[in-house]
Amino acid sequence: MSVTGHGNRPTVLTLMAAACALLVVGASVGFTSSTDDAREPVRRGASPFATPAKALDVVPASSPVGSALGTSRRLYRSAPVVVVAPSADPAAQGLAARAAEQLRAPMLLDGPDTAEEIARLQARRVLAVGAVRKLSDSVAVGATSSAVDAAVESARRAHRVPSPQANDVIVLTRSVTANLAAVTTARNAGATVLPVPDADPRSAPRAAQVLRDRPRTPVIALGTPFARSLGYTLSVVRDGATQPGGGYLLFRNRHLVALYGHPGSAALGVLGEQGVTKSVRRAKVVASRYARYTDRPVVPTFELIATIASAGAGRDKDYSAEASVKTLRPWVDAARKAGMYVILDLQPGRSDFLKQAKRYRSLLREPHVGLALDPEWRLKKEQKPLQQIGSVSIGEVNRTSDWLARLTRKYRLPQKAFVLHQFSTSMIRNRSRLVTTHPELATVVHVDGQGTQGEKMGTWKAIRRGLPDGVAFGWKNFYDEDKPIRSPRKTWAVRPRPDLITYQ
């Protein structure tokens, strides 16, 4: 705008008017900040809604109060009206959520940092629904429908309600009810809210599908339970890294039925009684006998003995014969083409499990290949196979699982089976310290008892006793050693129902 007088020279009056106008404009421009991060200046007429700066952002909150604050900070630049409710009054929160929705306003819970957030938002009116501490510019609103409706109507007359906006952001929450304030704020800001009860999108089919359909949409997750593994689990669902038979988790709503053995060696198990093509057919037949009992996928599986306990020391003096990757690769590839799973079994002798697992890194990078440790064949320096039952320290087990979890995370692979064979409590020392919290792994304790069915059930109960949470279970049927071998119907009736059933 030009400001001119006679002869294109500014007059005193016009200069004073321009200066006043600039002062008014300057007063309408504010800068806000928070403990979370720096905020952009709020311009009059600008959208009150913010677009997340990060592709993945976890709100580090341990309570709904913190989740509500974190959501407001990330999705609102400003708000003429803010709604606040008590942190421990669900009824008042429900009324407050209704008011916030009608006003398209952020909803906060009463807490020590609430006033600071209200100031950042430059709110000119605060609707305090229920027993909320006195806040600046707050209007006390009784926790009744009529009082809330009247307060909303008054706010509508005094302040412009922001227009609805589709904000391309996804907000994940473990509970819509517990995080009602944060969820209301997110929805009012135009975000898509997805419930993920386990803090793992792999276990929430609808959330997984939306995340996969919108691979570039920023994600905000509410609460510290998401912090440890969301980067990995989010990449898995967005990549569509599913298991054989569908789904993202190995033992969530599926079972594996496996043939055990070593290629070309009938003495080491049924898998070696025929070649790879016939083994695929045989595995499918065995699995089909269980499919009749469930609507869930029953996935045929190979458990391949990759390293074989040996009576001779061998050139490396470790009493373990390591099969080459070249020998195992055709079986791994055939299983993948047939939609099957593969578990590589290690019998390390005097070597150790981690060293041998690394030998098969290229096979374990395959999305359908897991790992099994057989402590029966883990020997001390002076021991030889078949002269005693071997054992392993829990430290070695946990180091191996940690390596496998890191490999799985690095290559964004689906969750892998991590199987521990056991038929004696002495086989895994200090087993109570077993780490079962790797989201990349499904840890299985595979009970290998043989003999009469009474003896097998006794072993089943003894081995399951004292295990940490988060363990799946495996059951083995021996064709020759069991007296008699348990039928599929009776195996399916074992409780808890085995997640992995193996035939040797």
Side-chain angles (χ1 to χ4, degrees):
M1 177 181 71
S2 63
V3 183
T4 59
H6 295 290
N8 290 332
R9 288 183 301 169
T11 67
V12 171
L13 290 176
T14 53
L15 284 170
M16 290 176 64
C20 290
L22 288 172
L23 285 173
V24 171
V25 171
S28 70
V29 179
F31 290 84
T32 61
S33 62
S34 74
T35 55
D36 265 8
D37 50 13
R39 297 292 160 182
E40 297 176 1
V42 179
R43 302 184 305 277
R44 184 176 296 279
S47 170
F49 307 118
T51 300
K54 299 177 181 179
L56 174 59
D57 191 1
V58 177
V59 177
S62 58
S63 71
V65 175
S67 291
L69 282 169
T71 305
S72 175
R73 287 168 178 162
R74 287 160 174 79
L75 295 180
Y76 274 84
R77 293 190 181 93
S78 64
V81 180
V82 174
V83 181
V84 182
S87 62
D89 187 343
Q93 288 179 26
L95 292 167
R98 191 176 77 183
E101 182 178 353
Q102 294 179 66
L103 296 168
R104 213 160 286 117
M107 176 180 167
L108 303 175
L109 297 177
D110 194 6
D113 299 321
T114 303
E116 180 184 344
E117 177 61 6
I118 291 170
R120 185 194 70 81
L121 291 166
Q122 301 180 3
R124 296 185 290 280
R125 179 174 299 200
V126 178
L127 302 187
V129 181
V132 174
R133 77 185 73 183
K134 181 63 176 176
L135 296 164
S136 178
D137 298 319
S138 66
V139 176
V141 181
T144 66
S145 294
S146 58
V148 168
D149 290 343
V152 168
E153 185 57 32
S154 174
R156 280 181 179 276
R157 289 196 298 267
H159 306 282
R160 183 179 65 85
V161 175
S163 301
Q165 174 177 316
N167 198 347
D168 188 28
V169 58
I170 292 171
V171 174
L172 306 181
T173 178
R174 294 175 69 201
S175 171
V176 170
T177 302
N179 274 331
L180 179 61
V183 166
T184 299
T185 297
R187 287 174 172 163
N188 290 347
T192 300
V193 176
L194 299 174
V196 183
D198 295 338
D200 185 346
R202 298 174 300 175
S203 65
R206 178 177 175 271
Q209 188 60 56
V210 173
L211 290 165
R212 187 176 181 187
D213 290 344
R214 296 166 62 179
R216 299 185 183 279
T217 298
V219 172
I220 296 172
L222 305 180
T224 52
F226 285 98
R228 182 175 183 272
S229 62
L230 186 59
Y232 162 69
T233 58
L234 182 61
S235 68
V236 167
V237 297
R238 283 185 156 170
D239 290 348
T242 56
Q243 303 284 349
Y248 297 98
L249 296 173
L250 190 61
F251 291 121
R252 185 67 64 96
N253 299 321
R254 97 184 56 244
H255 297 269
L256 305 185
V257 175
L259 298 184
Y260 178 93
H262 181 75
S265 177
L268 294 175
V270 295
L271 187 143
E273 293 178 355
Q274 59 282 305
V276 61
T277 302
K278 289 185 177 179
S279 288
V280 167
R281 288 200 295 265
R282 185 172 180 179
K284 288 184 174 182
V285 168
V286 174
S288 71
R289 294 171 183 158
Y290 289 88
R292 68 187 68 173
Y293 300 117
T294 180
D295 294 330
R296 299 175 177 180
V298 177
V299 180
T301 301
F302 288 156
E303 183 166 358
L304 290 167
I305 306 174
T307 63
I308 308 163
S310 172
R315 285 188 299 176
D316 50 10
K317 309 297 183 184
D318 64 4
Y319 290 88
S320 179
E322 298 90 353
S324 67
V325 170
K326 183 178 180 181
T327 298
L328 301 177
R329 173 61 74 177
W331 294 75
V332 171
D333 291 347
R336 175 180 49 79
K337 293 175 183 177
M340 296 170 54
Y341 200 75
V342 175
I343 300 169
L344 301 182
D345 184 78
L346 304 181
Q347 300 177 359
R350 293 183 184 176
S351 183
D352 66 79
F353 284 117
L354 179 55
K355 179 180 178 180
Q356 288 201 335
K358 290 179 177 180
R359 175 185 288 267
Y360 300 102
R361 178 188 179 96
S362 63
L363 297 179
L364 290 166
R365 280 186 56 180
E366 297 287 345
H368 65 298
V369 179
L371 183 68
L373 314 185
D374 200 341
E376 177 185 4
W377 307 106
R378 175 65 170 94
L379 306 177
K380 297 177 181 178
K381 289 184 178 180
E382 69 280 4
Q383 293 177 335
K384 295 181 180 180
L386 300 177
Q387 295 182 3
Q388 68 285 299
I389 298 172
S391 66
V392 65
S393 69
I394 197 61
E396 185 174 323
V397 172
N398 288 339
R399 286 191 295 274
T400 307
S401 69
D402 182 67
W403 174 83
L404 185 63
R406 285 187 282 109
L407 180 77
T408 304
R409 179 183 288 258
K410 178 178 180 179
Y411 294 104
R412 294 162 42 155
L413 301 171
Q415 187 181 56
K416 287 188 177 293
F418 180 65
V419 181
L420 302 175
H421 287 283
Q422 190 174 15
F423 58 84
S424 170
T425 56
S426 66
M427 290 169 61
I428 304 175
R429 303 189 297 277
N430 299 311
R431 195 186 61 169
S432 61
R433 302 209 303 265
L434 174 66
V435 174
T436 61
T437 55
H438 293 297
E440 303 87 353
L441 306 181
T443 301
V444 185
V445 171
H446 198 297
V447 182
D448 289 1
Q450 59 181 253
T452 68
Q453 290 304 316
E455 291 169 338
K456 288 175 71 73
M457 289 306 300
T459 304
W460 176 252
K461 293 176 182 178
I463 296 301
R464 289 191 299 106
R465 192 176 299 122
L467 278 168
D469 294 336
V471 174
F473 295 106
W475 174 280
K476 182 174 283 190
N477 286 324
F478 291 85
Y479 282 109
D480 297 326
E481 290 83 0
D482 286 349
K483 301 179 176 64
I485 187 171
R486 204 173 185 92
S487 69
R489 181 177 63 83
K490 290 185 176 180
T491 303
W492 194 250
V494 170
R495 294 293 183 271
R497 182 167 290 143
D499 301 282
L500 168 62
I501 299 169
T502 304
Y503 283 83
Q504 179 174 341

